[in-house]
Amino acid sequence: MIADFNTMPQMFWYCNSQYFDYKLPTPKFGILHSFCKLARFEYDRRKGKNDKRKRILFSDYFDFDEKTFKNIMVHEMIHYYLLMNGTNDKCDHGTDFMVMAQELNQKYGLNITTTFDASNIPNTPNAPKRTWWRCLFC
């Protein structure tokens, strides 16, 4: 699955229904041109959950399999959920994040992690030659 403005909303809606009981309003979506960031959740930290510019962005340099794409989406949605519920850690992958990730992993058989070895994920045709192998989530 290549991240675009069709695949990202579709996966968000699926994950919102399956894992978050439709509790998350649909954010905006964006594209990253990056090997070192697979995806990220953005908002204005000064405005917090009231920021209307919440966005989930994915790199368009990878052709993810569906399972990986879903795990990455859920990872970003955990950040979003914690923000919306006022439990966002000062550290992006702090205790609240890790507890929620482990609960979802155990309950649904997901594999939510904080880092990911993307060396085996094929590149998309528009990606330049790959130089980074270990990728981070934000």
Side-chain angles (χ1 to χ4, degrees):
M1 295 183 92
I2 298 171
D4 62 29
F5 293 104
N6 291 316
T7 58
M8 288 185 291
Q10 288 173 0
M11 186 60 75
F12 176 87
W13 297 323
Y14 172 80
C15 294
N16 201 15
S17 70
Q18 295 296 306
Y19 314 121
F20 295 91
D21 297 321
Y22 298 101
K23 292 180 181 171
L24 295 174
T26 303
K28 294 184 180 194
F29 297 95
I31 299 294
L32 295 170
H33 303 296
S34 174
F35 283 119
C36 63
K37 297 278 186 198
L38 296 178
R40 67 181 298 134
F41 171 65
E42 289 184 342
Y43 67 99
D44 186 337
R45 292 183 185 269
R46 294 168 295 184
K47 295 180 183 180
K49 68 180 181 180
N50 296 322
D51 179 22
K52 294 183 178 10
R53 293 170 291 165
K54 293 180 252 344
R55 296 191 316 161
I56 293 176
L57 300 96
F58 266 75
S59 173
D60 65 348
Y61 284 178
F62 298 96
D63 188 357
F64 301 103
D65 60 63
E66 186 174 353
K67 182 178 178 182
T68 301
F69 196 81
K70 177 173 56 176
N71 283 317
I72 295 169
M73 179 62 76
V74 172
H75 174 113
E76 301 310 328
M77 291 173 75
I78 292 171
H79 289 301
Y80 188 12
Y81 181 88
L82 293 174
L83 172 71
M84 296 303 292
N85 290 283
T87 58
N88 201 14
D89 289 327
K90 290 179 183 174
C91 173
D92 285 338
H93 297 119
T95 304
D96 292 340
F97 179 92
M98 294 308 296
V99 166
M100 189 167 186
Q102 287 305 314
E103 288 173 357
L104 291 169
N105 287 343
Q106 290 175 357
K107 186 173 181 180
Y108 298 106
L110 298 172
N111 185 27
I112 312 306
T113 61
T114 57
T115 60
F116 186 80
D117 179 1
S119 61
N120 292 323
I121 299 176
N123 291 2
T124 59
N126 69 314
K129 184 176 178 180
R130 193 185 308 209
T131 58
W132 286 87
W133 296 103
R134 187 167 180 87
C135 295
L136 303 174
F137 298 104
C138 289

